[in-house]
Amino acid sequence: MVTDSGRAALYAAERMAHLVFETAGTSTQIGGVTVTVPPEARFASVESVADHVRRVLARQSIRDRFPRAAEPVSVRVRRGPVSAHYEAGPPAVIAVPEDADGRWALRELVVLHELAHHLDDSGGAAHGPGFAATLIDLVTDVVGPEAGWIYRTLFTESGVPVG
């Protein structure tokens, strides 16, 4: 089993990214570059998350880049509001909290994080360099190049290895 030593740094960098995305539509400086923060999707239900996951996995650009995009992923409600998670399966499942305290997880960046676990075929740590690269590529493709720039820059500035 591979040690997931990069998890804390990656989560910290993602928390910074999530704060940046709270200002969607405004311009901000990231890594010395002024970018307009793009909006991310927010979901009303687990069913809408599942629909989004299906649509992302069906994108030709995602299928071309990630062989595992051909494998379906279901989405279910996760008990408790503390975290979302990915279950490799089979079948592969993303679990997200849906109650009032867990609605923080019904956002695109959280869903893409869990989906990146499915698509990462690097064989490394769960939050290692291969995962970080997969997440950045996924965010870039789905949310846009500015979003990818924000993620890559915050990861780099936070010492998160991307490979």
Side-chain angles (χ1 to χ4, degrees):
M1 189 163 138
V2 178
T3 303
D4 195 9
S5 60
R7 180 179 175 184
L10 186 129
Y11 279 9
E14 272 192 301
R15 279 191 297 279
M16 286 189 284
H18 291 179
L19 289 173
V20 169
F21 278 87
E22 293 298 327
T23 66
T26 66
S27 294
T28 190
Q29 280 236 328
I30 302 285
V33 174
T34 301
V35 295
T36 300
V37 180
E40 65 171 307
R42 301 292 180 133
F43 305 106
S45 66
V46 168
E47 291 79 19
S48 59
V49 171
D51 182 58
H52 188 65
V53 167
R54 277 190 300 276
R55 289 173 187 261
V56 169
L57 292 176
R59 291 171 73 129
Q60 193 60 52
S61 57
I62 297 297
R63 287 182 173 258
D64 289 346
R65 167 71 178 81
F66 303 106
R68 292 195 59 195
E71 299 173 24
V73 177
S74 64
V75 180
R76 70 170 177 82
V77 173
R78 183 184 198 284
R79 286 183 286 161
V82 176
S83 64
H85 72 265
Y86 171 74
E87 302 163 8
V93 176
I94 292 173
V96 291
E98 188 179 48
D99 67 5
D101 291 333
R103 296 196 63 77
W104 63 269
L106 296 178
R107 64 185 297 177
E108 190 167 33
L109 297 174
V110 170
V111 172
L112 293 177
H113 172 108
E114 300 310 329
L115 192 54
H117 284 297
H118 177 69
L119 298 175
D120 175 24
D121 61 1
S122 68
H127 296 93
F131 172 81
T134 298
L135 179 56
I136 291 168
D137 288 351
L138 190 56
V139 167
T140 300
D141 190 288
V142 176
V143 184
E146 297 87 354
W149 168 261
I150 292 166
Y151 263 65
R152 183 172 299 282
T153 303
L154 291 175
F155 281 16
T156 300
E157 290 179 350
S158 298
V160 174
V162 176

